[in-house]
Amino acid sequence: MKTTIHTIFAALLTGATLLSSCDDYLTTLPSDSLVSEGAITTEEDTKTAVNGLYEGLISVGDSYYYGTDFITRPEVGGEDIQTRMVGDRTENFYRFTDRQSNARESLWSVPYVVINRANVLLDAIESGSIPMTEVTKNSKGEALAIRALAHFNLLITYGTPYQKDNGVSLGVPVVTTVLDAASLPERLTVAQGYEAVLTDLTDALDFISEDKTYGHINLWGVKALIARVNLYKGNYEEAYKYAKDVIDHGGYNLVPNAEYISMWGQCENSESIFDLDLSSTMYGGGRELIGSLVAPSSYGTMIATTDFLNLLNEDPDDVRLGLLIKDKDGQKRVVNKYPGLDGNIFVNNIRVIRLSDIYLIGAEAALRKGTPDQNSADEYLYQIRHRANPNNTKITATLDLVKKERRKELVMEGHRLYDILRVGDTVERKGGTHFLNGEDLITVNWNDYRTIMPIPQAEIDANPQIKQNPSY
């Protein structure tokens, strides 16, 4: 079935994410997504298409991507956050029980929806039929950046961590053209995937603007992403170079200690490099969005583990202790980074990249690169620790201290499982309030097949070129 892109853009213009007549275009990817040409003809059309990319990053239909699943899986899959009780909505991610027959489509199909939307836009721009104005150039840069982000997220979800085998294992299909009826893309290696991601990000720098438009990625957001991708790849020289550039020249500032707690209920703040802006879209009743999963007044499915509470309480004056609120059982163990905008718990802007993360990337890369830069590592770690408690003084940064600070600072933002896996660490999830049994994944490291998601069986059935991940 061919579906015209005109309907998609019409839906976006009215604020809808999709129309029921477009279901197979939006949800059966990458194998059989088909679109028609000619829908994007002006610079204003390119802006509308870009808005569709950001909406797709949040959700497509009832499949929530950054809106829920891409954040909750790495959080409850680590040692700092857990599902509160049996039967709660994040239990499958907590216990690593996803298999090819029951894995959610949100982490596979939705990124490919976003990628295909980006490819439609890029195809229209590169056809030469649209005047290459500053608006069009920026739209091209944003499309390249978002396509890179979606591919990168797929790689870290469905591929072996790069540093385990230098990227020789199978990654995911890299889709850089609009698919036709005969297209059955196969999985490339993780290394090839990373190369494609970094190529898109580097190319985006030639087109994207430095201007800060909230809810959109800009030049500094692209550089921050390059730093993150290189950190995962183990290219610490590049990770450090780009993190330092963003810190020194991006014009962002850490939110002060006194404003730290309140910033989570705000739309934008001084360290927002790239947020997804749910406040400007139609998500007022999104009961499956992450705010609803966290809020004790709603599902309340995610709580801090005993290990994490002990870690955070090492410093009784740490401002981040103020994020803890009571859960459904009356215990203070909900990390409330999703309190809702204007009192609406369902609407929380998603912090994809913020300056705190870039400081910690810079600190880690400074220590790991070929010629370590201890002074920079000390300074970057100090900035985060000093903001958490103004009485903290500068100390000698170590990798263990940086890892600990990442746990404290970035908890509930979708990083923890990936931080464990990307460098081959091992964590134990037992004791305290954990309810895992002997068949569940208790010892988390990159040697257990369950840390890599299975490709949905529907995709393998539709595309015989796709090979399933080992042991599924």
Side-chain angles (χ1 to χ4, degrees):
M1 171 184 177
K2 284 198 174 185
T3 306
T4 66
I5 198 70
H6 300 275
T7 8
I8 306 301
F9 290 148
L12 293 172
L13 285 169
T14 58
T17 308
L18 66 111
L19 296 176
S20 59
S21 61
C22 306
D23 282 353
D24 38 3
Y25 163 58
L26 288 171
T27 61
T28 316
L29 282 161
S31 300
D32 58 356
S33 171
L34 304 174
V35 297
S36 66
E37 295 77 26
I40 306 172
T41 58
T42 69
E43 66 174 31
E44 286 302 311
D45 290 340
T46 72
K47 290 169 65 176
T48 301
V50 165
N51 289 338
L53 302 181
Y54 295 112
E55 290 200 11
L57 286 177
I58 299 166
S59 67
V60 171
D62 59 359
S63 291
Y64 291 88
Y65 183 34
Y66 270 99
T68 307
D69 290 347
F70 191 69
I71 298 173
T72 58
R73 176 179 180 262
E75 289 304 326
V76 298
E79 78 275 44
D80 295 331
I81 299 295
Q82 66 171 88
T83 300
R84 188 177 68 90
M85 60 182 291
V86 173
D88 276 351
R89 274 168 164 69
T90 53
E91 185 183 6
N92 60 315
F93 293 150
Y94 173 57
R95 301 177 70 175
F96 288 84
T97 56
D98 284 296
R99 301 295 181 266
Q100 59 267 42
S101 60
N102 68 342
R104 295 185 190 179
E105 294 285 332
S106 54
L107 298 176
W108 175 265
S109 295
V110 175
Y112 280 114
V113 170
V114 175
I115 289 166
N116 203 61
R117 289 179 182 178
N119 288 339
V120 170
L121 172 56
L122 290 167
D123 185 63
I125 292 173
E126 290 163 6
S127 72
S129 61
I130 305 172
M132 189 56 79
T133 63
E134 291 302 310
V135 169
T136 306
K137 284 178 61 179
N138 188 65
S139 293
K140 181 174 181 178
E142 288 186 74
L144 287 167
I146 298 306
R147 183 171 75 181
L149 175 63
H151 275 128
F152 176 65
N153 291 346
L154 284 159
L155 284 165
I156 63 176
T157 304
Y158 294 95
T160 298
Y162 190 101
Q163 296 186 65
K164 183 178 182 181
D165 60 9
N166 207 32
V168 301
S169 297
L170 284 179
V172 297
V174 174
V175 183
T176 57
T177 60
V178 179
L179 298 172
D180 59 33
S183 296
L184 293 174
E186 60 185 5
R187 299 177 71 178
L188 302 184
T189 66
V190 169
Q192 289 171 313
Y194 270 74
E195 181 181 3
V197 167
L198 288 169
T199 296
D200 271 355
L201 291 173
T202 303
D203 289 348
L205 295 176
D206 294 331
F207 298 98
I208 202 162
S209 170
E210 289 189 57
D211 294 345
K212 297 174 182 177
T213 300
Y214 187 67
H216 287 243
I217 195 167
N218 68 357
L219 180 137
W220 298 108
V222 173
K223 290 186 175 185
L225 265 180
I226 293 175
R228 179 182 289 175
V229 173
N230 278 296
L231 186 79
Y232 276 65
K233 187 181 179 184
N235 187 341
Y236 298 116
E237 297 285 349
E238 289 293 288
Y240 173 75
K241 180 179 79 172
Y242 279 96
K244 185 177 189 303
D245 193 13
V246 174
I247 291 167
D248 291 347
H249 304 115
Y252 302 94
N253 298 286
L254 291 178
V255 170
N257 172 279
E259 300 170 20
Y260 186 81
I261 302 302
S262 63
M263 82 168 180
W264 295 101
Q266 297 170 354
C267 178
E268 183 178 8
N269 59 72
S270 62
E271 63 176 275
S272 296
I273 297 176
F274 174 33
D275 291 356
L276 293 175
D277 186 8
L278 274 72
S279 63
S280 66
T281 51
M282 298 174 64
Y283 291 95
R287 284 186 54 80
E288 299 303 322
L289 287 163
I290 189 167
S292 184
L293 266 66
V294 173
S297 60
S298 185
Y299 295 128
T301 67
M302 301 170 71
I303 60 172
T305 63
T306 302
D307 282 347
F308 183 75
L309 293 174
N310 291 339
L311 174 69
L312 204 56
N313 276 289
E314 286 179 356
D315 179 0
D317 296 321
D318 193 317
V319 69
R320 293 166 296 202
L321 285 166
L323 291 170
L324 296 175
I325 62 172
K326 291 181 179 179
D327 65 9
K328 284 180 173 292
D329 300 317
Q331 300 183 58
K332 214 170 186 181
R333 51 183 184 173
V334 173
V335 182
N336 195 28
K337 285 188 173 179
Y338 303 94
L341 299 176
D342 300 322
N344 185 346
I345 61 169
F346 303 124
V347 181
N348 294 270
N349 289 353
I350 305 299
R351 319 297 180 182
V352 180
I353 312 171
R354 60 189 183 95
L355 186 61
S356 295
D357 185 15
I358 302 306
Y359 268 111
L360 292 167
I361 288 174
E364 182 176 343
L367 292 173
R368 290 189 187 272
K369 67 192 187 81
T371 303
D373 186 336
Q374 187 67 52
N375 289 336
S376 290
D378 294 349
E379 175 63 22
Y380 294 161
L381 181 63
Y382 166 74
Q383 290 295 330
I384 303 300
R385 294 181 69 253
H386 181 71
R387 192 264 302 278
N389 180 354
N391 292 320
N392 283 336
T393 58
K394 190 175 291 187
I395 59 176
T396 300
T398 65
L399 287 174
D400 284 343
L401 287 172
V402 173
K403 288 178 183 180
K404 180 183 289 189
E405 206 59 36
R406 283 188 69 84
R407 291 174 62 192
K408 292 179 180 181
E409 182 59 36
L410 302 179
V411 65
M412 288 297 293
E413 297 178 53
H415 296 285
R416 184 57 191 147
L417 176 61
Y418 300 124
D419 277 347
I420 296 165
L421 299 179
R422 65 179 168 84
V423 292
D425 282 347
T426 296
V427 300
E428 296 287 332
R429 306 188 305 154
K430 58 187 178 181
T433 53
H434 284 294
F435 58 85
L436 299 171
N437 62 47
E439 296 181 357
D440 295 328
L441 184 53
I442 295 173
T443 302
V444 177
N445 59 48
W446 67 18
N447 291 318
D448 194 294
Y449 77 96
R450 289 169 289 183
T451 59
I452 303 172
M453 283 286 286
I455 295 171
Q457 188 63 42
E459 182 59 45
I460 293 174
D461 292 342
N463 182 358
Q465 301 276 34
I466 298 293
K467 297 178 180 179
Q468 184 56 269
N469 278 322
S471 298
Y472 282 107

